[in-house]
Amino acid sequence: MGFVSEFKEFISKGNVLDLAVGVIIGGAFGNIVKSLTDDILMPVLSLLTGGMDFKDWFLALDGTSYKTLEEAKKAGAATVNYGLFLNAVITFLLMAFAIFWIVKLANRFKKPQEVVVADPGPTKDQVLLMEIRDALRNRS
């Protein structure tokens, strides 16, 4: 029974539950950001670049020239797909940009926390000096 009770204690701790909720909400939020990137930002970027798509930018390692990446894959050619990598980098940057603006907007609605500064009290050196001062006063 020790293992079961230990596991129950571990699961019922707040950190584990907070992490589980964060992962679930993060997955849902990821879908929102992906939609924002794919459905809103990428079409605008495509319009700005004249409809340029990098997915067919590749290098066939067998030395043959293929019109599309699909043709190269059908032929069984090994390819370096730098266009797909470039698409992934652009998608990442757009997602990071979108998340930045979402967090910036969300932070505007958060209430600023009041900072309460507690008096730290005297240090050990200050206490010792006060004792010396008091001892000198009492001696006279």
Side-chain angles (χ1 to χ4, degrees):
M1 268 324 257
F3 177 77
V4 173
S5 61
E6 187 177 340
F7 181 72
K8 181 181 174 184
E9 180 183 339
F10 171 75
I11 289 296
S12 65
K13 286 185 180 178
N15 294 342
V16 174
L17 295 175
D18 291 343
L19 178 62
V21 169
V23 167
I24 292 168
I25 290 176
F29 185 70
N31 290 336
I32 292 170
V33 172
K34 182 170 177 25
S35 176
L36 175 66
T37 303
D38 293 344
D39 302 330
I40 295 173
L41 296 177
M42 283 300 254
V44 172
L45 182 65
S46 178
L47 182 66
L48 293 175
T49 60
M52 186 185 311
D53 190 6
F54 305 115
K55 72 178 179 182
D56 284 326
W57 289 13
F58 65 95
L59 174 66
L61 298 178
D62 65 356
T64 307
S65 179
Y66 299 98
K67 192 170 187 176
T68 64
L69 181 59
E70 288 78 25
E71 286 180 15
K73 286 186 177 184
K74 283 181 185 176
T79 58
V80 175
N81 305 322
Y82 59 90
L84 293 176
F85 175 74
L86 190 57
N87 271 348
V89 169
I90 290 170
T91 300
F92 168 77
L93 291 173
L94 288 173
M95 283 185 148
F97 181 74
I99 289 173
F100 168 76
W101 281 106
I102 289 170
V103 169
K104 187 174 176 86
L105 181 66
N107 283 340
R108 285 187 179 177
F109 295 110
K110 287 175 75 174
K111 291 182 181 179
Q113 294 181 344
E114 293 183 23
V115 178
V116 178
V117 179
D119 185 22
T123 63
K124 290 181 181 180
D125 294 340
Q126 291 171 335
V127 170
L128 182 61
L129 287 171
M130 286 188 284
E131 289 175 1
I132 293 170
R133 178 199 62 203
D134 294 341
L136 288 173
R137 279 186 189 159
N138 291 338
R139 198 170 88 176
S140 340

